[in-house]
Amino acid sequence: MSSELLAPLDLAFWHLESAEHPMHLGALAHFDPRPGVGGGQVLDLLAERAAAVPRLRMCVRGVWLPVGGAAWVADPGFDVRRHVRRVRLPAGDFDTEAVRVAGELMERPLARGLPPWRMYVLTGEDDGAFAVLVKLHHALADGMRAVAIGAGILDQLATPSARRRRPVPPSSGLPCPRQVAGFARDRVGELTRAVGIGASVLRAGRLELGAGSALAAHSSGTRRLATAVLDHEDVQRVRRAEGGTANDVLLAVVAGGLRRWLLERGSGVPGAQPRALVPVSRRRPGAPPGSGNKLSAYLLGLPVAESDPLARLAAVRTAMDRNKAAGPGRGAGAVALLADQLPPLAHRFGAPLAGNAARMLFDVLVTSVPLPRSELSLGGCPLRAVYPMAPLARGQSLAIALSPYGGRVHVGLVADGKAVPDLDRLATCLREELGELRGASAAR
C-alpha cells in the first residue's frame, strides 16, 4: 500500500492542533547508566532503531478524496537526524533538570511538514544517567500504538526483522474509481450513526462551567511537568481489600489528591463534581495495535467534596461500574466515536469549534497507559522509570497520565505553566492520598 488515509479520529487530532495547543503526547524515560554507554552512543542507537520503524517515516499529506481528507505517505526526504537530538542538562539534580527541560520541549509543536515525532536524549555533565523524551503527535499514536512504536526502540522488543523493513514509497494521493464509489456509499450509514452519538454528547455537555472553574483556564501555551511515583503493591492491597479494579483505586487517588491540592491552595472544594475524561481503548485484548486511534472515553465525576477516602473510592467504583454497563457510546466520552462518523471536511472546518467545546464536556484528562511487565532497557541500560504525558485540550489546565512499571505506578502531570504554577505540590498530594487510602483500608 503506497498511502493510508488518516482514520477519522486521527484527522480530528491533526486539525485540533494550533501553535498554542500542540496535540502531541509523550513520555519521559529515565535509564540507569552502564559502563561504556554514553549519550553519543545512545543517540546513534535511537537514530538507527527509529529509522527502521516504518510508521516513523510517514508524514501527512492532503488528498483529493475524500474532500478535506489526508493520508500517511512516506517522506521522500526522510532524515532521522532531524528527529533525534541530544540535549545537555545544566548542573543540578539530574531528575529535576530533566523534568524541567522536558516541560520546555513539550511546549514546542511538531513540524507539520515532516513525520510528526521527535526524540531527545537528555544527558548530564558526567555522561552517566540519561533520559529519553519522546514526542508523538496524537494523530500518529494513541497509548497502545505508542507502546508498539517503543517495540522498535527498546532492546527486548526491537527485532532484526523489524530493522530490515523498508519504507513505503510515496503516493500521489489520487483515489481510484472504486474508492470514489465507496466514499459515497459509506456516508449514509455514518451520518445515521453520528446523529445518535451526537445527541449523547450534547446531553452530556454543560452550560454552567462553575464545576470546573478551579481546573479550567485560558491556555497560555506554556507547559509545566511534574512526576510522582506510587507503590503499585499499595494500590493492589487497597483493590484486594475494597474490591473494584486497580484503575478505580488510581482514580480515587486522583480525586483525593485534587481535593488536598485545592484546599491547600485556597481554591476551595467546588460545589459540583469536576469531570474527568477517562479514555478507554476500543482495541480487542491481544489484538495488534494496527493503524488509527481506537479510543472512546468514560465521563467520571470526581468526588472531591467527599472527605472520607474510602467513600471516595466507593463513589468512583459505582460511577465506573455504571459507565461500563452503559458502554463507551454514552456521555461526553462518545465525542471520540462521533469523530469516527463525521466526514473529513467537517474535521477541517469544525476543529476550532470542537476545541473550544472541550471545557464544556470535562475538566481534567486522566488516562492509564499500560506497559510490558518485563524489565526493559536501551543499549543495555535498564529502564528505571517512565512518565507518560498526555496533551492538554483547549481550555484545559491539567492532564494526568499513569503507567505501572517495575512495581511502581509512574505518574506524569502536564499543566498549563501559568495556570498551575504549583504542579509539584499536586504530585505530592497524590502520594499522600495513596498513603491515607491504604491506611484507611487497613484500619477497617
Side-chain angles (χ1 to χ4, degrees):
M1 182 174 60
S2 58
S3 68
E4 173 191 328
L5 287 174
L6 266 71
L9 187 53
D10 296 351
L11 191 64
F13 287 136
W14 188 251
H15 289 309
L16 278 170
E17 183 171 65
S18 68
E20 295 77 23
H21 303 92
M23 287 301 296
H24 51 256
L25 47 82
L28 180 63
H30 291 261
F31 295 87
D32 287 330
R34 186 172 71 88
V37 179
Q41 292 93 327
V42 173
L43 187 72
D44 292 340
L45 182 61
L46 270 182
E48 175 191 351
R49 292 184 178 175
V53 178
R55 176 61 62 177
L56 297 184
R57 291 174 169 266
M58 308 294 278
C59 58
V60 177
R61 295 287 185 268
V63 297
W64 288 98
L65 284 176
V67 177
W72 292 108
V73 300
D75 180 5
F78 178 76
D79 180 358
V80 71
R81 292 294 178 171
R82 292 181 177 179
H83 300 266
V84 180
R85 284 186 51 203
R86 181 178 181 180
V87 177
R88 295 183 183 273
L89 302 180
D93 179 74
F94 179 84
D95 288 1
T96 300
E97 287 301 316
V99 170
R100 183 187 64 79
V101 171
E104 296 174 357
L105 294 172
M106 287 294 287
E107 289 182 8
R108 306 174 187 176
L110 293 161
R112 292 175 73 84
L114 299 173
W117 64 275
R118 295 295 293 269
M119 295 182 188
Y120 300 88
V121 179
L122 309 181
T123 59
E125 292 184 328
D126 59 358
D127 211 23
F130 66 93
V132 175
L133 173 66
V134 179
K135 292 169 55 175
L136 303 170
H137 199 284
H138 212 337
L140 177 68
D142 55 16
M144 292 298 293
R145 280 196 296 168
V147 172
I149 288 172
I153 304 298
L154 296 169
D155 295 341
Q156 290 78 2
L157 305 175
T159 62
S161 60
R163 297 189 192 118
R164 287 196 296 266
R165 296 165 76 177
R166 296 183 178 181
V168 177
S171 164
S172 65
L174 293 173
C176 68
R178 182 178 298 177
Q179 287 177 307
V180 175
F183 292 140
R185 184 173 57 250
D186 292 343
R187 288 282 76 82
V188 176
E190 290 175 357
L191 290 176
T192 301
R193 290 190 293 271
V195 171
I197 296 173
S200 178
V201 173
L202 288 174
R203 286 194 298 269
R206 299 171 300 183
L207 296 179
E208 297 294 333
L209 301 179
S213 59
L215 297 175
H218 295 294
S219 177
S220 66
T222 60
R223 292 292 179 269
R224 183 181 296 271
L225 304 184
T227 61
V229 177
L230 309 178
D231 189 311
H232 192 254
E233 182 54 32
D234 284 348
V235 173
Q236 293 296 343
R237 286 194 188 100
V238 175
R239 178 194 63 79
R240 289 191 293 266
E242 306 299 330
T245 67
N247 199 48
D248 293 339
V249 176
L250 291 173
L251 289 169
V253 168
V254 169
L258 285 172
R259 172 186 169 84
R260 289 169 177 267
W261 177 66
L262 291 170
L263 290 175
E264 285 186 7
R265 73 199 312 243
S267 301
V269 176
Q273 293 180 336
R275 285 179 168 181
L277 194 70
V278 184
V280 293
S281 174
R282 293 188 287 122
R283 303 183 194 278
R284 293 182 179 180
S291 61
N293 275 279
K294 300 290 185 183
L295 292 173
S296 185
Y298 293 132
L299 190 66
L300 174 67
L302 296 172
V304 297
E306 175 57 61
S307 60
D308 182 350
L310 294 179
R312 283 195 295 270
L313 174 57
V316 167
R317 281 189 58 197
T318 300
M320 288 302 289
D321 288 345
R322 188 184 306 119
N323 277 331
K324 293 169 187 175
R330 301 290 182 89
V335 70
L337 298 179
L338 179 61
D340 282 343
Q341 313 303 326
L342 296 178
L345 202 59
H347 290 301
R348 182 180 293 273
F349 293 106
L353 179 62
N356 289 323
R359 63 192 299 261
M360 297 180 63
L361 299 175
F362 65 97
D363 304 304
V364 58
L365 177 71
V366 184
T367 183
S368 294
V369 182
L371 291 176
R373 295 184 180 181
S374 59
E375 294 184 2
L376 304 174
S377 62
L378 178 64
C381 300
L383 176 62
R384 171 166 54 91
V386 56
Y387 301 99
M389 299 174 219
L392 287 182
R394 189 186 304 268
Q396 308 295 313
S397 62
L398 177 66
I400 301 174
L402 310 99
S403 277
Y405 174 74
R408 298 177 176 180
V409 179
H410 298 92
V411 186
L413 301 99
V414 179
D416 182 277
K418 293 186 177 179
V420 188
D422 54 343
L423 189 61
D424 288 336
R425 183 55 202 158
L426 175 56
T428 300
C429 287
L430 295 178
R431 293 192 292 268
E432 294 172 349
E433 178 60 23
L434 177 58
E436 181 175 351
L437 182 58
R438 179 200 60 209
S441 178
R444 290 225 292 195

